[in-house]
Amino acid sequence: TSGDRHRERQTWALSIAYYGPASSSFTWQREAPETTVLGILQVAIQPLLAGRHNVILANAGRTDAGVSATGQLLTFYSWEPIDPEALRTAINSAAPSVLRLRAAQLVPRSFHATFGAAWRRYVYILPCRERGSSEGGGDEPTAAEVDAQLAPLVGAPLDYAALGRGLPKGKNTVTTLLHASASEVSLPAGDH
């Protein structure tokens, strides 16, 4: 209808948290798209678009298989107005033990998660042997050893052009690691 043609396109920015070991990967996989984080999100959001178009998600980075995230940024657009609470319910009920919507907001149409993220923070939880322990065959470094390996990377400009695809013309691919450190933490026992 003529009213549909004059609807404003909405661009949504999402911050999601997910438990990596419960999905096959972050990125959509042809063999089993519904078991990936992107696949779960696509299935959850698609009904909210009222059949007008397929959901297209853009993301600011991605994680490897099995890696969890607490604030992954994604964007998508819709020509159909979406109720924020319906969006939250759709995402949070899609895979409750895997995925949670932390925040959702409308952003300017020009914002794109992949190219709009100004910084990223990564936290890795790695198995390390305890100080003075030889358990685990001695292959795992101590936190102090990892910290020493990270120190030379801080402040050094690194070019990530080889990892990018579809970069906008003129996009700077050089970044500087502002902080890197390793410390020992104790995690509580649990199911995951």
PDB file of all heavy atoms in Angstrom, residues 151-184:
ATOM      1  N   ALA A 151      52.643  -8.250  27.281  1.00  0.00           N
ATOM      2  CA  ALA A 151      53.209  -6.916  27.504  1.00  0.00           C
ATOM      3  C   ALA A 151      53.774  -6.252  26.247  1.00  0.00           C
ATOM      4  O   ALA A 151      53.500  -5.071  25.996  1.00  0.00           O
ATOM      5  CB  ALA A 151      54.261  -6.968  28.616  1.00  0.00           C
ATOM      6  N   PRO A 152      54.545  -6.954  25.406  1.00  0.00           N
ATOM      7  CA  PRO A 152      55.108  -6.280  24.220  1.00  0.00           C
ATOM      8  C   PRO A 152      54.062  -5.859  23.178  1.00  0.00           C
ATOM      9  O   PRO A 152      54.353  -5.042  22.308  1.00  0.00           O
ATOM     10  CB  PRO A 152      56.051  -7.331  23.614  1.00  0.00           C
ATOM     11  CG  PRO A 152      56.257  -8.357  24.657  1.00  0.00           C
ATOM     12  CD  PRO A 152      55.072  -8.304  25.562  1.00  0.00           C
ATOM     13  N   LEU A 153      52.852  -6.404  23.257  1.00  0.00           N
ATOM     14  CA  LEU A 153      51.819  -6.063  22.273  1.00  0.00           C
ATOM     15  C   LEU A 153      51.140  -4.733  22.566  1.00  0.00           C
ATOM     16  O   LEU A 153      50.578  -4.105  21.675  1.00  0.00           O
ATOM     17  CB  LEU A 153      50.761  -7.170  22.225  1.00  0.00           C
ATOM     18  CG  LEU A 153      51.255  -8.565  21.841  1.00  0.00           C
ATOM     19  CD1 LEU A 153      50.125  -9.573  21.964  1.00  0.00           C
ATOM     20  CD2 LEU A 153      51.839  -8.559  20.444  1.00  0.00           C
ATOM     21  N   VAL A 154      51.170  -4.300  23.820  1.00  0.00           N
ATOM     22  CA  VAL A 154      50.485  -3.074  24.221  1.00  0.00           C
ATOM     23  C   VAL A 154      51.172  -1.861  23.601  1.00  0.00           C
ATOM     24  O   VAL A 154      52.387  -1.711  23.675  1.00  0.00           O
ATOM     25  CB  VAL A 154      50.439  -2.952  25.757  1.00  0.00           C
ATOM     26  CG1 VAL A 154      49.812  -1.623  26.177  1.00  0.00           C
ATOM     27  CG2 VAL A 154      49.669  -4.114  26.354  1.00  0.00           C
ATOM     28  N   GLY A 155      50.359  -1.029  22.950  1.00  0.00           N
ATOM     29  CA  GLY A 155      50.868   0.197  22.345  1.00  0.00           C
ATOM     30  C   GLY A 155      51.424   0.033  20.946  1.00  0.00           C
ATOM     31  O   GLY A 155      51.738   1.010  20.285  1.00  0.00           O
ATOM     32  N   ALA A 156      51.539  -1.188  20.468  1.00  0.00           N
ATOM     33  CA  ALA A 156      52.085  -1.431  19.130  1.00  0.00           C
ATOM     34  C   ALA A 156      50.950  -1.411  18.108  1.00  0.00           C
ATOM     35  O   ALA A 156      49.990  -2.161  18.235  1.00  0.00           O
ATOM     36  CB  ALA A 156      52.796  -2.788  19.087  1.00  0.00           C
ATOM     37  N   PRO A 157      51.027  -0.558  17.079  1.00  0.00           N
ATOM     38  CA  PRO A 157      49.985  -0.566  16.045  1.00  0.00           C
ATOM     39  C   PRO A 157      50.040  -1.867  15.242  1.00  0.00           C
ATOM     40  O   PRO A 157      51.113  -2.328  14.862  1.00  0.00           O
ATOM     41  CB  PRO A 157      50.316   0.645  15.175  1.00  0.00           C
ATOM     42  CG  PRO A 157      51.711   1.026  15.513  1.00  0.00           C
ATOM     43  CD  PRO A 157      52.053   0.433  16.839  1.00  0.00           C
ATOM     44  N   LEU A 158      48.878  -2.460  15.029  1.00  0.00           N
ATOM     45  CA  LEU A 158      48.768  -3.710  14.283  1.00  0.00           C
ATOM     46  C   LEU A 158      47.782  -3.524  13.147  1.00  0.00           C
ATOM     47  O   LEU A 158      46.713  -2.947  13.340  1.00  0.00           O
ATOM     48  CB  LEU A 158      48.293  -4.845  15.211  1.00  0.00           C
ATOM     49  CG  LEU A 158      49.165  -5.102  16.441  1.00  0.00           C
ATOM     50  CD1 LEU A 158      48.435  -5.998  17.420  1.00  0.00           C
ATOM     51  CD2 LEU A 158      50.480  -5.719  16.021  1.00  0.00           C
ATOM     52  N   ASP A 159      48.104  -4.017  11.954  1.00  0.00           N
ATOM     53  CA  ASP A 159      47.229  -3.886  10.794  1.00  0.00           C
ATOM     54  C   ASP A 159      46.444  -5.173  10.605  1.00  0.00           C
ATOM     55  O   ASP A 159      47.014  -6.247  10.429  1.00  0.00           O
ATOM     56  CB  ASP A 159      48.050  -3.585   9.539  1.00  0.00           C
ATOM     57  CG  ASP A 159      47.172  -3.166   8.370  1.00  0.00           C
ATOM     58  OD1 ASP A 159      45.954  -3.473   8.387  1.00  0.00           O
ATOM     59  OD2 ASP A 159      47.690  -2.537   7.445  1.00  0.00           O
ATOM     60  N   TYR A 160      45.115  -5.052  10.647  1.00  0.00           N
ATOM     61  CA  TYR A 160      44.229  -6.202  10.524  1.00  0.00           C
ATOM     62  C   TYR A 160      43.557  -6.281   9.147  1.00  0.00           C
ATOM     63  O   TYR A 160      42.530  -6.916   8.990  1.00  0.00           O
ATOM     64  CB  TYR A 160      43.157  -6.158  11.622  1.00  0.00           C
ATOM     65  CG  TYR A 160      43.715  -6.467  12.984  1.00  0.00           C
ATOM     66  CD1 TYR A 160      44.191  -5.459  13.813  1.00  0.00           C
ATOM     67  CD2 TYR A 160      43.785  -7.778  13.433  1.00  0.00           C
ATOM     68  CE1 TYR A 160      44.725  -5.746  15.058  1.00  0.00           C
ATOM     69  CE2 TYR A 160      44.312  -8.074  14.672  1.00  0.00           C
ATOM     70  CZ  TYR A 160      44.774  -7.059  15.481  1.00  0.00           C
ATOM     71  OH  TYR A 160      45.296  -7.363  16.703  1.00  0.00           O
ATOM     72  N   ALA A 161      44.123  -5.661   8.144  1.00  0.00           N
ATOM     73  CA  ALA A 161      43.529  -5.646   6.803  1.00  0.00           C
ATOM     74  C   ALA A 161      43.302  -7.049   6.263  1.00  0.00           C
ATOM     75  O   ALA A 161      42.304  -7.311   5.591  1.00  0.00           O
ATOM     76  CB  ALA A 161      44.404  -4.845   5.841  1.00  0.00           C
ATOM     77  N   ALA A 162      44.202  -7.973   6.554  1.00  0.00           N
ATOM     78  CA  ALA A 162      44.072  -9.338   6.037  1.00  0.00           C
ATOM     79  C   ALA A 162      42.847 -10.048   6.597  1.00  0.00           C
ATOM     80  O   ALA A 162      42.357 -11.006   6.005  1.00  0.00           O
ATOM     81  CB  ALA A 162      45.334 -10.146   6.352  1.00  0.00           C
ATOM     82  N   LEU A 163      42.325  -9.579   7.722  1.00  0.00           N
ATOM     83  CA  LEU A 163      41.167 -10.220   8.343  1.00  0.00           C
ATOM     84  C   LEU A 163      39.847  -9.601   7.897  1.00  0.00           C
ATOM     85  O   LEU A 163      38.786 -10.116   8.218  1.00  0.00           O
ATOM     86  CB  LEU A 163      41.277 -10.140   9.870  1.00  0.00           C
ATOM     87  CG  LEU A 163      42.525 -10.780  10.472  1.00  0.00           C
ATOM     88  CD1 LEU A 163      42.562 -10.546  11.970  1.00  0.00           C
ATOM     89  CD2 LEU A 163      42.592 -12.257  10.152  1.00  0.00           C
ATOM     90  N   GLY A 164      39.900  -8.491   7.183  1.00  0.00           N
ATOM     91  CA  GLY A 164      38.682  -7.797   6.795  1.00  0.00           C
ATOM     92  C   GLY A 164      38.217  -8.175   5.400  1.00  0.00           C
ATOM     93  O   GLY A 164      38.995  -8.586   4.554  1.00  0.00           O
ATOM     94  N   ARG A 165      36.930  -8.051   5.200  1.00  0.00           N
ATOM     95  CA  ARG A 165      36.369  -8.223   3.860  1.00  0.00           C
ATOM     96  C   ARG A 165      35.216  -7.237   3.732  1.00  0.00           C
ATOM     97  O   ARG A 165      34.541  -6.939   4.703  1.00  0.00           O
ATOM     98  CB  ARG A 165      35.920  -9.660   3.625  1.00  0.00           C
ATOM     99  CG  ARG A 165      34.815 -10.095   4.525  1.00  0.00           C
ATOM    100  CD  ARG A 165      34.296 -11.481   4.114  1.00  0.00           C
ATOM    101  NE  ARG A 165      33.142 -11.771   4.902  1.00  0.00           N
ATOM    102  CZ  ARG A 165      33.100 -12.638   5.896  1.00  0.00           C
ATOM    103  NH1 ARG A 165      34.157 -13.324   6.196  1.00  0.00           N
ATOM    104  NH2 ARG A 165      32.001 -12.827   6.567  1.00  0.00           N
ATOM    105  N   GLY A 166      35.027  -6.735   2.577  1.00  0.00           N
ATOM    106  CA  GLY A 166      33.960  -5.768   2.355  1.00  0.00           C
ATOM    107  C   GLY A 166      34.171  -4.473   3.120  1.00  0.00           C
ATOM    108  O   GLY A 166      33.218  -3.838   3.534  1.00  0.00           O
ATOM    109  N   LEU A 167      35.430  -4.090   3.312  1.00  0.00           N
ATOM    110  CA  LEU A 167      35.721  -2.862   4.042  1.00  0.00           C
ATOM    111  C   LEU A 167      35.372  -1.644   3.195  1.00  0.00           C
ATOM    112  O   LEU A 167      35.654  -1.614   2.003  1.00  0.00           O
ATOM    113  CB  LEU A 167      37.197  -2.802   4.421  1.00  0.00           C
ATOM    114  CG  LEU A 167      37.691  -3.843   5.414  1.00  0.00           C
ATOM    115  CD1 LEU A 167      39.210  -3.811   5.516  1.00  0.00           C
ATOM    116  CD2 LEU A 167      37.064  -3.589   6.773  1.00  0.00           C
ATOM    117  N   PRO A 168      34.777  -0.628   3.816  1.00  0.00           N
ATOM    118  CA  PRO A 168      34.512   0.596   3.061  1.00  0.00           C
ATOM    119  C   PRO A 168      35.829   1.237   2.617  1.00  0.00           C
ATOM    120  O   PRO A 168      36.843   1.132   3.309  1.00  0.00           O
ATOM    121  CB  PRO A 168      33.807   1.501   4.072  1.00  0.00           C
ATOM    122  CG  PRO A 168      33.390   0.625   5.187  1.00  0.00           C
ATOM    123  CD  PRO A 168      34.303  -0.559   5.178  1.00  0.00           C
ATOM    124  N   LYS A 169      35.803   1.891   1.467  1.00  0.00           N
ATOM    125  CA  LYS A 169      36.996   2.557   0.948  1.00  0.00           C
ATOM    126  C   LYS A 169      37.486   3.575   1.981  1.00  0.00           C
ATOM    127  O   LYS A 169      36.710   4.349   2.526  1.00  0.00           O
ATOM    128  CB  LYS A 169      36.669   3.259  -0.377  1.00  0.00           C
ATOM    129  CG  LYS A 169      37.876   3.814  -1.055  1.00  0.00           C
ATOM    130  CD  LYS A 169      37.542   4.364  -2.419  1.00  0.00           C
ATOM    131  CE  LYS A 169      38.837   4.839  -3.065  1.00  0.00           C
ATOM    132  NZ  LYS A 169      38.652   5.098  -4.462  1.00  0.00           N
ATOM    133  N   GLY A 170      38.771   3.518   2.254  1.00  0.00           N
ATOM    134  CA  GLY A 170      39.366   4.448   3.201  1.00  0.00           C
ATOM    135  C   GLY A 170      39.291   4.012   4.652  1.00  0.00           C
ATOM    136  O   GLY A 170      39.782   4.713   5.524  1.00  0.00           O
ATOM    137  N   LYS A 171      38.672   2.880   4.933  1.00  0.00           N
ATOM    138  CA  LYS A 171      38.564   2.400   6.311  1.00  0.00           C
ATOM    139  C   LYS A 171      39.946   2.054   6.837  1.00  0.00           C
ATOM    140  O   LYS A 171      40.695   1.310   6.222  1.00  0.00           O
ATOM    141  CB  LYS A 171      37.651   1.165   6.372  1.00  0.00           C
ATOM    142  CG  LYS A 171      37.579   0.490   7.721  1.00  0.00           C
ATOM    143  CD  LYS A 171      36.763   1.282   8.687  1.00  0.00           C
ATOM    144  CE  LYS A 171      36.588   0.482   9.986  1.00  0.00           C
ATOM    145  NZ  LYS A 171      36.006   1.239  11.022  1.00  0.00           N
ATOM    146  N   ASN A 172      40.296   2.617   7.990  1.00  0.00           N
ATOM    147  CA  ASN A 172      41.584   2.357   8.607  1.00  0.00           C
ATOM    148  C   ASN A 172      41.559   0.970   9.253  1.00  0.00           C
ATOM    149  O   ASN A 172      40.685   0.676  10.063  1.00  0.00           O
ATOM    150  CB  ASN A 172      41.887   3.425   9.659  1.00  0.00           C
ATOM    151  CG  ASN A 172      43.265   3.272  10.253  1.00  0.00           C
ATOM    152  OD1 ASN A 172      44.040   2.400   9.870  1.00  0.00           O
ATOM    153  ND2 ASN A 172      43.581   4.136  11.201  1.00  0.00           N
ATOM    154  N   THR A 173      42.487   0.120   8.891  1.00  0.00           N
ATOM    155  CA  THR A 173      42.536  -1.241   9.428  1.00  0.00           C
ATOM    156  C   THR A 173      43.609  -1.400  10.492  1.00  0.00           C
ATOM    157  O   THR A 173      43.834  -2.492  10.992  1.00  0.00           O
ATOM    158  CB  THR A 173      42.777  -2.258   8.301  1.00  0.00           C
ATOM    159  OG1 THR A 173      44.001  -1.926   7.641  1.00  0.00           O
ATOM    160  CG2 THR A 173      41.630  -2.263   7.300  1.00  0.00           C
ATOM    161  N   VAL A 174      44.278  -0.309  10.834  1.00  0.00           N
ATOM    162  CA  VAL A 174      45.318  -0.360  11.866  1.00  0.00           C
ATOM    163  C   VAL A 174      44.664  -0.054  13.214  1.00  0.00           C
ATOM    164  O   VAL A 174      43.878   0.882  13.340  1.00  0.00           O
ATOM    165  CB  VAL A 174      46.446   0.646  11.578  1.00  0.00           C
ATOM    166  CG1 VAL A 174      47.461   0.682  12.713  1.00  0.00           C
ATOM    167  CG2 VAL A 174      47.128   0.297  10.257  1.00  0.00           C
ATOM    168  N   THR A 175      44.989  -0.847  14.192  1.00  0.00           N
ATOM    169  CA  THR A 175      44.472  -0.624  15.537  1.00  0.00           C
ATOM    170  C   THR A 175      45.607  -0.768  16.536  1.00  0.00           C
ATOM    171  O   THR A 175      46.645  -1.352  16.236  1.00  0.00           O
ATOM    172  CB  THR A 175      43.314  -1.584  15.855  1.00  0.00           C
ATOM    173  OG1 THR A 175      42.678  -1.179  17.059  1.00  0.00           O
ATOM    174  CG2 THR A 175      43.795  -3.007  15.985  1.00  0.00           C
ATOM    175  N   THR A 176      45.385  -0.219  17.697  1.00  0.00           N
ATOM    176  CA  THR A 176      46.386  -0.289  18.754  1.00  0.00           C
ATOM    177  C   THR A 176      45.782  -0.963  19.972  1.00  0.00           C
ATOM    178  O   THR A 176      44.696  -0.584  20.420  1.00  0.00           O
ATOM    179  CB  THR A 176      46.880   1.130  19.132  1.00  0.00           C
ATOM    180  OG1 THR A 176      47.418   1.732  17.959  1.00  0.00           O
ATOM    181  CG2 THR A 176      47.946   1.068  20.210  1.00  0.00           C
ATOM    182  N   LEU A 177      46.464  -1.950  20.470  1.00  0.00           N
ATOM    183  CA  LEU A 177      46.042  -2.639  21.681  1.00  0.00           C
ATOM    184  C   LEU A 177      46.359  -1.720  22.856  1.00  0.00           C
ATOM    185  O   LEU A 177      47.519  -1.371  23.094  1.00  0.00           O
ATOM    186  CB  LEU A 177      46.800  -3.962  21.799  1.00  0.00           C
ATOM    187  CG  LEU A 177      46.381  -4.925  22.879  1.00  0.00           C
ATOM    188  CD1 LEU A 177      44.936  -5.375  22.690  1.00  0.00           C
ATOM    189  CD2 LEU A 177      47.294  -6.144  22.858  1.00  0.00           C
ATOM    190  N   LEU A 178      45.317  -1.278  23.569  1.00  0.00           N
ATOM    191  CA  LEU A 178      45.496  -0.311  24.643  1.00  0.00           C
ATOM    192  C   LEU A 178      45.829  -0.970  25.984  1.00  0.00           C
ATOM    193  O   LEU A 178      46.485  -0.360  26.823  1.00  0.00           O
ATOM    194  CB  LEU A 178      44.242   0.547  24.796  1.00  0.00           C
ATOM    195  CG  LEU A 178      43.859   1.357  23.570  1.00  0.00           C
ATOM    196  CD1 LEU A 178      42.553   2.106  23.817  1.00  0.00           C
ATOM    197  CD2 LEU A 178      44.973   2.318  23.183  1.00  0.00           C
ATOM    198  N   HIS A 179      45.348  -2.170  26.175  1.00  0.00           N
ATOM    199  CA  HIS A 179      45.575  -2.851  27.449  1.00  0.00           C
ATOM    200  C   HIS A 179      45.531  -4.355  27.217  1.00  0.00           C
ATOM    201  O   HIS A 179      44.675  -4.851  26.500  1.00  0.00           O
ATOM    202  CB  HIS A 179      44.500  -2.456  28.464  1.00  0.00           C
ATOM    203  CG  HIS A 179      44.633  -3.158  29.771  1.00  0.00           C
ATOM    204  ND1 HIS A 179      45.518  -2.753  30.735  1.00  0.00           N
ATOM    205  CD2 HIS A 179      44.013  -4.255  30.255  1.00  0.00           C
ATOM    206  CE1 HIS A 179      45.429  -3.572  31.774  1.00  0.00           C
ATOM    207  NE2 HIS A 179      44.519  -4.487  31.509  1.00  0.00           N
ATOM    208  N   ALA A 180      46.436  -5.056  27.833  1.00  0.00           N
ATOM    209  CA  ALA A 180      46.423  -6.519  27.797  1.00  0.00           C
ATOM    210  C   ALA A 180      47.085  -7.019  29.070  1.00  0.00           C
ATOM    211  O   ALA A 180      48.189  -6.588  29.406  1.00  0.00           O
ATOM    212  CB  ALA A 180      47.174  -7.041  26.573  1.00  0.00           C
ATOM    213  N   SER A 181      46.392  -7.865  29.769  1.00  0.00           N
ATOM    214  CA  SER A 181      46.981  -8.416  30.985  1.00  0.00           C
ATOM    215  C   SER A 181      46.351  -9.769  31.277  1.00  0.00           C
ATOM    216  O   SER A 181      45.276 -10.094  30.773  1.00  0.00           O
ATOM    217  CB  SER A 181      46.762  -7.478  32.177  1.00  0.00           C
ATOM    218  OG  SER A 181      45.385  -7.373  32.471  1.00  0.00           O
ATOM    219  N   ALA A 182      47.024 -10.530  32.075  1.00  0.00           N
ATOM    220  CA  ALA A 182      46.528 -11.823  32.515  1.00  0.00           C
ATOM    221  C   ALA A 182      46.576 -11.853  34.034  1.00  0.00           C
ATOM    222  O   ALA A 182      47.508 -11.324  34.647  1.00  0.00           O
ATOM    223  CB  ALA A 182      47.372 -12.952  31.933  1.00  0.00           C
ATOM    224  N   SER A 183      45.564 -12.417  34.617  1.00  0.00           N
ATOM    225  CA  SER A 183      45.540 -12.568  36.068  1.00  0.00           C
ATOM    226  C   SER A 183      44.857 -13.879  36.407  1.00  0.00           C
ATOM    227  O   SER A 183      44.083 -14.417  35.614  1.00  0.00           O
ATOM    228  CB  SER A 183      44.858 -11.387  36.744  1.00  0.00           C
ATOM    229  OG  SER A 183      43.529 -11.271  36.286  1.00  0.00           O
ATOM    230  N   GLU A 184      45.131 -14.341  37.593  1.00  0.00           N
ATOM    231  CA  GLU A 184      44.560 -15.597  38.054  1.00  0.00           C
ATOM    232  C   GLU A 184      43.228 -15.309  38.717  1.00  0.00           C
ATOM    233  O   GLU A 184      43.099 -14.379  39.514  1.00  0.00           O
ATOM    234  CB  GLU A 184      45.516 -16.218  39.078  1.00  0.00           C
ATOM    235  CG  GLU A 184      45.342 -17.680  39.271  1.00  0.00           C
ATOM    236  CD  GLU A 184      46.466 -18.254  40.126  1.00  0.00           C
ATOM    237  OE1 GLU A 184      47.642 -18.073  39.751  1.00  0.00           O
ATOM    238  OE2 GLU A 184      46.139 -18.832  41.169  1.00  0.00           O
TER     239      GLU A 184
END
